[in-house]
Amino acid sequence: MKGFLLIFFACCSLKSVAQSNKKHQLSDELHSLNWDIIGSVKFELTDKNELFPIFSESIKRFENKVFDLTGYLIPIKAGVNQQKFFLATLPINQCYFCGKNGIPAMIMVEMDKAIAFSVKPIKIAGILKLERRDASFAAPISLKNAKIII
């Protein structure tokens, strides 16, 4: 898991470079002001191979507050019901790590209770948490105690 997180967050920092080489269907990619805020986070790789997030002022102002996002569920464990997963701007069949095409913006989500997997976008709200330690050990951005918004 440590290696996966390191690769995942290193690639997310290269998202702007990958944007010019996208091959996914633009109609599937989700855009919103809140996803732009998530995308404002940059990463710094130290000479000790530690990957630290650099949080913009725009995301810091939402820390420990309710934050909502609409995105695609990317499971990290097998199963119909999911309680902890990634939420992404692209569906799983177009995700760089899971299928094909580009590196989507992603955020770790921990729901208050498990929800059924869906290939359709879901809208959730939870408490935005920022981790200021090596991204190899913890997701730098997460939504905790999240709930489905209907």
Side-chain angles (χ1 to χ4, degrees):
M1 181 70 170
K2 176 182 171 185
F4 171 76
L5 284 176
L6 178 62
I7 292 168
F8 168 73
F9 291 112
C11 289
C12 284
S13 67
L14 300 173
K15 182 179 188 293
S16 60
V17 174
Q19 290 282 340
S20 62
N21 296 325
K22 286 193 259 186
K23 297 177 184 172
H24 55 267
Q25 296 170 304
L26 292 177
S27 61
D28 287 342
E29 187 170 20
L30 299 173
H31 298 278
S32 71
L33 181 58
N34 283 1
W35 275 117
D36 290 343
I37 291 168
I38 298 299
S40 72
V41 177
K42 305 295 180 217
F43 294 88
E44 178 181 5
L45 184 62
T46 69
D47 52 355
K48 295 180 181 180
N49 285 329
E50 298 169 316
L51 193 63
F52 287 97
I54 301 169
F55 297 112
S56 66
E57 289 303 316
S58 63
I59 198 167
K60 286 181 187 176
R61 70 179 194 210
F62 292 102
E63 186 173 15
N64 297 316
K65 295 180 181 169
V66 175
F67 194 82
D68 67 85
L69 280 171
T70 299
Y72 295 97
L73 191 154
I74 309 292
I76 55 176
K77 288 186 177 181
V80 173
N81 293 319
Q82 301 288 318
Q83 191 160 5
K84 186 175 183 178
F85 53 86
F86 286 115
L87 193 70
T89 57
L90 285 173
I92 193 167
N93 68 336
Q94 295 187 40
C95 168
Y96 176 78
F97 296 103
C98 312
K100 59 181 180 177
N101 297 319
I103 301 166
M106 290 190 198
I107 184 170
M108 178 67 75
V109 175
E110 294 181 31
M111 300 295 292
D112 64 339
K113 57 184 171 187
I115 61 170
F117 173 79
S118 173
V119 295
K120 295 180 180 178
I122 58 172
K123 185 170 184 175
I124 59 171
I127 305 299
L128 186 74
K129 296 291 185 178
L130 304 177
E131 280 287 337
R132 291 169 174 80
R133 61 185 183 139
D134 186 355
S136 303
F137 298 101
I141 313 163
S142 62
L143 285 181
K144 306 281 187 173
N145 200 29
K147 297 173 177 27
I148 290 282
I149 299 174
I150 298 175

